[in-house]
Amino acid sequence: DSICAGESTVFEGITVDTTGTYVDTLISIIGCDSIVSLDLTVLPVNIETVQDTICEGDTYDFNGNILTLANTYVDTVVGTNGCDSIVTLELVVNPRVDTTLTEEICAGMTYDFGGVLLDSTDTYIDTLVSATGCDSIVTLNLTVHPVYSEIQDQQICEGTNYDFHGMLLDTAGTYVDTLMSINGCDSVITLNLVLLDVLRTNLTD
């Protein structure tokens, strides 16, 4: 006979739970000895511990049980020898990493987002693989500030000057100055300066 570990059987009034051969001598109905031998095998109960990892949002099938949370789970199944097999699952759930970036560039520049060069104001999303092997969602809020360009036409009279951002000009011509806008981008100002002659009239009296 065979039993599972933790179980017992009764042999001629004696409870036994250990592998071995047990012998008992009885008196048969005709008054002679009757020898009964029991070869008992105690089959082991298998105990197994499994460690596994999933990513947040994924599921784990544990003998038909769909798991999503990190925890220690125990299940009892019937082993190949007909005895219980106890399986302990230590499940780890690695988190998904979400990152939000806010960036600003000037018109005419590009922003490298995961190998893609961007030059327009918009929200962009990219999925990377984190160090734990799970998805890492990166959201980029990109703002492209304009580069301003302004043309000014001014006139001065001969003998006077014009203050062009700290430069005193007294000669006709085209002048260019590059300033920094409030957003940190270039602001290009072009000045077309015209010098008006002073009219001179000679009078003879």
PDB file of all heavy atoms in Angstrom, residues 11-12 22-26 34-38:
ATOM      1  N   PHE A  11      -3.062  -0.797  10.392  1.00  0.00           N
ATOM      2  CA  PHE A  11      -2.692  -2.182  10.056  1.00  0.00           C
ATOM      3  C   PHE A  11      -2.930  -3.050  11.281  1.00  0.00           C
ATOM      4  O   PHE A  11      -2.199  -2.968  12.275  1.00  0.00           O
ATOM      5  CB  PHE A  11      -1.220  -2.243   9.612  1.00  0.00           C
ATOM      6  CG  PHE A  11      -0.720  -3.626   9.342  1.00  0.00           C
ATOM      7  CD1 PHE A  11      -1.322  -4.424   8.356  1.00  0.00           C
ATOM      8  CD2 PHE A  11       0.317  -4.185  10.086  1.00  0.00           C
ATOM      9  CE1 PHE A  11      -0.873  -5.703   8.110  1.00  0.00           C
ATOM     10  CE2 PHE A  11       0.764  -5.481   9.845  1.00  0.00           C
ATOM     11  CZ  PHE A  11       0.168  -6.229   8.850  1.00  0.00           C
ATOM     12  N   GLU A  12      -3.955  -3.835  11.175  1.00  0.00           N
ATOM     13  CA  GLU A  12      -4.323  -4.766  12.249  1.00  0.00           C
ATOM     14  C   GLU A  12      -4.441  -4.039  13.595  1.00  0.00           C
ATOM     15  O   GLU A  12      -3.916  -4.465  14.620  1.00  0.00           O
ATOM     16  CB  GLU A  12      -3.304  -5.903  12.346  1.00  0.00           C
ATOM     17  CG  GLU A  12      -3.123  -6.705  11.074  1.00  0.00           C
ATOM     18  CD  GLU A  12      -4.421  -7.356  10.591  1.00  0.00           C
ATOM     19  OE1 GLU A  12      -5.306  -7.640  11.427  1.00  0.00           O
ATOM     20  OE2 GLU A  12      -4.546  -7.571   9.374  1.00  0.00           O
ATOM     21  N   TYR A  22       5.561  -4.246   7.610  1.00  0.00           N
ATOM     22  CA  TYR A  22       4.937  -4.569   8.890  1.00  0.00           C
ATOM     23  C   TYR A  22       4.351  -5.991   8.806  1.00  0.00           C
ATOM     24  O   TYR A  22       3.732  -6.347   7.784  1.00  0.00           O
ATOM     25  CB  TYR A  22       3.844  -3.561   9.231  1.00  0.00           C
ATOM     26  CG  TYR A  22       4.364  -2.130   9.304  1.00  0.00           C
ATOM     27  CD1 TYR A  22       4.416  -1.329   8.158  1.00  0.00           C
ATOM     28  CD2 TYR A  22       4.812  -1.621  10.505  1.00  0.00           C
ATOM     29  CE1 TYR A  22       4.918  -0.032   8.224  1.00  0.00           C
ATOM     30  CE2 TYR A  22       5.296  -0.314  10.577  1.00  0.00           C
ATOM     31  CZ  TYR A  22       5.353   0.478   9.431  1.00  0.00           C
ATOM     32  OH  TYR A  22       5.847   1.761   9.493  1.00  0.00           O
ATOM     33  N   VAL A  23       4.578  -6.768   9.862  1.00  0.00           N
ATOM     34  CA  VAL A  23       4.126  -8.172   9.865  1.00  0.00           C
ATOM     35  C   VAL A  23       3.262  -8.424  11.104  1.00  0.00           C
ATOM     36  O   VAL A  23       3.602  -7.991  12.214  1.00  0.00           O
ATOM     37  CB  VAL A  23       5.333  -9.149   9.864  1.00  0.00           C
ATOM     38  CG1 VAL A  23       4.839 -10.595   9.898  1.00  0.00           C
ATOM     39  CG2 VAL A  23       6.223  -8.902   8.664  1.00  0.00           C
ATOM     40  N   ASP A  24       2.176  -9.163  10.897  1.00  0.00           N
ATOM     41  CA  ASP A  24       1.309  -9.533  12.019  1.00  0.00           C
ATOM     42  C   ASP A  24       0.909 -11.006  11.838  1.00  0.00           C
ATOM     43  O   ASP A  24       0.687 -11.460  10.704  1.00  0.00           O
ATOM     44  CB  ASP A  24       0.073  -8.644  12.071  1.00  0.00           C
ATOM     45  CG  ASP A  24      -0.671  -8.796  13.401  1.00  0.00           C
ATOM     46  OD1 ASP A  24      -0.081  -9.382  14.331  1.00  0.00           O
ATOM     47  OD2 ASP A  24      -1.823  -8.322  13.488  1.00  0.00           O
ATOM     48  N   THR A  25       0.855 -11.730  12.937  1.00  0.00           N
ATOM     49  CA  THR A  25       0.485 -13.154  12.888  1.00  0.00           C
ATOM     50  C   THR A  25      -0.869 -13.336  13.557  1.00  0.00           C
ATOM     51  O   THR A  25      -1.072 -12.966  14.727  1.00  0.00           O
ATOM     52  CB  THR A  25       1.541 -14.019  13.597  1.00  0.00           C
ATOM     53  OG1 THR A  25       2.825 -13.795  12.999  1.00  0.00           O
ATOM     54  CG2 THR A  25       1.171 -15.492  13.498  1.00  0.00           C
ATOM     55  N   LEU A  26      -1.780 -13.902  12.798  1.00  0.00           N
ATOM     56  CA  LEU A  26      -3.132 -14.135  13.282  1.00  0.00           C
ATOM     57  C   LEU A  26      -3.389 -15.645  13.330  1.00  0.00           C
ATOM     58  O   LEU A  26      -2.610 -16.451  12.804  1.00  0.00           O
ATOM     59  CB  LEU A  26      -4.146 -13.448  12.370  1.00  0.00           C
ATOM     60  CG  LEU A  26      -3.896 -11.956  12.050  1.00  0.00           C
ATOM     61  CD1 LEU A  26      -4.931 -11.467  11.049  1.00  0.00           C
ATOM     62  CD2 LEU A  26      -3.946 -11.119  13.331  1.00  0.00           C
ATOM     63  N   SER A  34      -1.731 -17.350  10.572  1.00  0.00           N
ATOM     64  CA  SER A  34      -1.941 -16.618   9.310  1.00  0.00           C
ATOM     65  C   SER A  34      -1.079 -15.360   9.405  1.00  0.00           C
ATOM     66  O   SER A  34      -1.299 -14.505  10.265  1.00  0.00           O
ATOM     67  CB  SER A  34      -3.428 -16.256   9.158  1.00  0.00           C
ATOM     68  OG  SER A  34      -3.620 -15.469   8.001  1.00  0.00           O
ATOM     69  N   ILE A  35      -0.067 -15.338   8.542  1.00  0.00           N
ATOM     70  CA  ILE A  35       0.891 -14.234   8.590  1.00  0.00           C
ATOM     71  C   ILE A  35       0.513 -13.186   7.540  1.00  0.00           C
ATOM     72  O   ILE A  35       0.414 -13.493   6.335  1.00  0.00           O
ATOM     73  CB  ILE A  35       2.320 -14.737   8.340  1.00  0.00           C
ATOM     74  CG1 ILE A  35       2.693 -15.766   9.422  1.00  0.00           C
ATOM     75  CG2 ILE A  35       3.313 -13.573   8.332  1.00  0.00           C
ATOM     76  CD1 ILE A  35       4.017 -16.439   9.197  1.00  0.00           C
ATOM     77  N   VAL A  36       0.324 -11.955   7.999  1.00  0.00           N
ATOM     78  CA  VAL A  36      -0.028 -10.832   7.104  1.00  0.00           C
ATOM     79  C   VAL A  36       1.137  -9.846   7.099  1.00  0.00           C
ATOM     80  O   VAL A  36       1.579  -9.406   8.170  1.00  0.00           O
ATOM     81  CB  VAL A  36      -1.326 -10.135   7.554  1.00  0.00           C
ATOM     82  CG1 VAL A  36      -1.658  -8.989   6.614  1.00  0.00           C
ATOM     83  CG2 VAL A  36      -2.454 -11.140   7.626  1.00  0.00           C
ATOM     84  N   SER A  37       1.640  -9.541   5.887  1.00  0.00           N
ATOM     85  CA  SER A  37       2.727  -8.559   5.747  1.00  0.00           C
ATOM     86  C   SER A  37       2.219  -7.332   4.983  1.00  0.00           C
ATOM     87  O   SER A  37       1.540  -7.465   3.955  1.00  0.00           O
ATOM     88  CB  SER A  37       3.911  -9.167   4.979  1.00  0.00           C
ATOM     89  OG  SER A  37       4.474 -10.245   5.699  1.00  0.00           O
ATOM     90  N   LEU A  38       2.573  -6.178   5.493  1.00  0.00           N
ATOM     91  CA  LEU A  38       2.215  -4.904   4.809  1.00  0.00           C
ATOM     92  C   LEU A  38       3.503  -4.201   4.381  1.00  0.00           C
ATOM     93  O   LEU A  38       4.342  -3.866   5.212  1.00  0.00           O
ATOM     94  CB  LEU A  38       1.413  -3.990   5.743  1.00  0.00           C
ATOM     95  CG  LEU A  38       1.215  -2.555   5.232  1.00  0.00           C
ATOM     96  CD1 LEU A  38       0.359  -2.551   3.973  1.00  0.00           C
ATOM     97  CD2 LEU A  38       0.588  -1.689   6.323  1.00  0.00           C
TER      98      LEU A  38
END
